[in-house]
Amino acid sequence: MIGVFDSGLGGLTVLRELTQRFRHADFIYLADHAHVPYGDRSSDEIVDFTRACVEDLFNRGARLALLGCNTATAVSLRRLQQQWLPQSKWAGTHNVLGIVAPTVEAATQTPWAVTSPQYPQKYNTDTIAVFGTTRTVSSGVYPEEIHKRCPKVTIVQQICSELAGAIEAKSPEAELEALVAEGCAGMLAQTQNMPPHRAILGCTHFPLVEHLFRRHLPPFTRILSQPDVVADSFEDYLVRRPHYLAGNEGGRLALLTTGDAADVSSKARVFWPDVAAFSKA
Ligand code: DGL
């Protein structure tokens, strides 16, 4: 069974891509609605909440947990992989993955294992806009990892601190659009109105309002689809480690939340009318 985690509903954008591609896999999704949004929380809180949710996924039978959350990945993945997991009872049999690495690979057209500029990407002078939560942006993970591989690329980061919370709160479209418009204007002010070549919606909630980003970004700017690139990379990973799918029947899916299951189910249906009901974790 594959576990997918997010602070809230955003990770469903990734989960949906995965369930469509991996019909032979079983999935369990855990959303931490008791603590959403994570974006403005302290690093220690984000690490603690993420670790608790990964433990829960492992206790329920997942052997691989994907953090379908940029904030959790940016702030806690390294600590979980390097400090917590090796000391835990799951060392050697289970793993935790994040979504920043595949996104950086796609944005730089460079494999994650390559950590220095290589021809031809070292001559890449594109501008890339990264929209994210406060914690994702302040972690600096996107500029740092992109610049290792493409040092001449210009990165413009834009915090959209209220957007994930507003999406979770079922805010009206006009309010969401105002927040997206403000974020896009802030980003364009940084580039002096030069359109970036690409935009990374670096929060898994943001693809839920991708149509609004499309409306407010210059037509020239391509939006990188994080759910797609994460699924591509996950596919490569699983092909090389098929044991993570051993015993899977295929097509089983459980949706869990640490919050109010009925309320979360109704919020999820705003974006996906056909989504299954959430249960209390
Ligand atoms: N969906 C999350 C992300 O990708 C975080 C949203 C939040 O909880 O602030 O960053």
Side-chain angles (χ1 to χ4, degrees):
M1 188 166 11
I2 308 291
V4 179
F5 160 74
D6 182 38
S7 58
L9 295 175
L12 288 177
T13 57
V14 174
L15 178 79
R16 280 181 82 89
E17 195 57 42
L18 296 179
T19 52
Q20 275 163 22
R21 291 233 204 153
F22 303 101
R23 296 192 182 272
H24 52 303
D26 298 326
F27 288 92
I28 178 167
Y29 181 83
L30 177 57
D32 191 10
H33 281 99
H35 303 112
V36 74
Y38 277 16
D40 286 317
R41 289 184 177 277
S42 72
S43 300
D44 285 345
E45 274 183 312
I46 294 169
V47 174
D48 287 348
F49 294 151
T50 304
R51 188 187 53 238
C53 287
V54 171
E55 281 179 354
D56 193 355
L57 287 169
F58 286 172
N59 282 327
R60 290 172 190 274
R63 288 202 291 147
L64 193 55
L66 176 67
L67 307 184
C69 175
N70 290 271
T71 311
T73 303
V75 175
S76 49
L77 182 64
R78 222 172 272 175
R79 271 162 75 176
L80 295 188
Q81 284 178 334
Q82 294 176 4
Q83 293 167 21
W84 169 72
L85 189 57
Q87 309 295 329
S88 76
K89 63 180 177 188
W90 296 291
T93 53
H94 291 54
N95 204 3
V96 191
L97 303 174
I99 57 173
V100 168
T103 310
V104 168
E105 285 184 324
T108 60
Q109 295 295 301
T110 308
W112 186 248
V114 176
T115 53
S116 59
Q118 312 242 325
Y119 181 83
Q121 292 303 330
K122 68 178 173 184
Y123 298 118
N124 184 339
T125 55
D126 283 358
T127 297
I128 301 178
V130 178
F131 295 91
T133 64
T134 306
R135 281 286 155 211
T136 298
V137 167
S138 66
S139 77
V141 66
Y142 278 112
E144 188 188 322
E145 296 297 342
I146 290 172
H147 277 145
K148 277 185 200 162
R149 297 158 178 88
C150 296
K152 294 184 199 284
V153 159
T154 301
I155 311 281
V156 184
Q157 294 204 95
Q158 179 64 42
I159 294 173
C160 298
S161 63
E162 290 168 50
L163 187 53
I167 290 170
E168 287 287 342
K170 276 207 275 192
S171 298
E173 174 102 345
E175 275 175 37
L176 298 176
E177 179 158 12
L179 292 171
V180 170
E182 189 188 351
C184 291
M187 181 277 295
L188 286 169
Q190 294 186 63
T191 63
Q192 271 119 38
N193 283 328
M194 290 291 288
H197 297 80
R198 272 162 295 157
I200 296 174
L201 305 187
C203 169
T204 51
H205 283 73
F206 297 174
L208 292 170
V209 289
E210 183 173 331
H211 61 292
L212 301 178
F213 276 95
R214 188 61 284 161
R215 201 175 290 161
H216 289 277
L217 283 170
F220 174 82
T221 304
R222 273 183 38 219
I223 298 176
L224 187 143
S225 169
Q226 193 174 44
D228 266 344
V229 303
V230 167
D232 286 346
S233 151
F234 204 60
E235 194 163 358
D236 282 353
Y237 184 87
L238 284 178
V239 163
R240 285 178 282 121
R241 296 164 188 85
H243 59 278
Y244 282 121
L245 293 179
N248 280 217
E249 289 177 7
R252 284 191 298 186
L253 171 65
L255 302 178
L256 302 174
T257 176
T258 57
D260 177 326
D263 182 50
V264 169
S265 301
S266 97
K267 281 177 184 159
R269 285 193 196 108
V270 172
F271 299 102
W272 299 283
D274 61 335
V275 77
F278 276 76
S279 307
K280 178 83 179 164

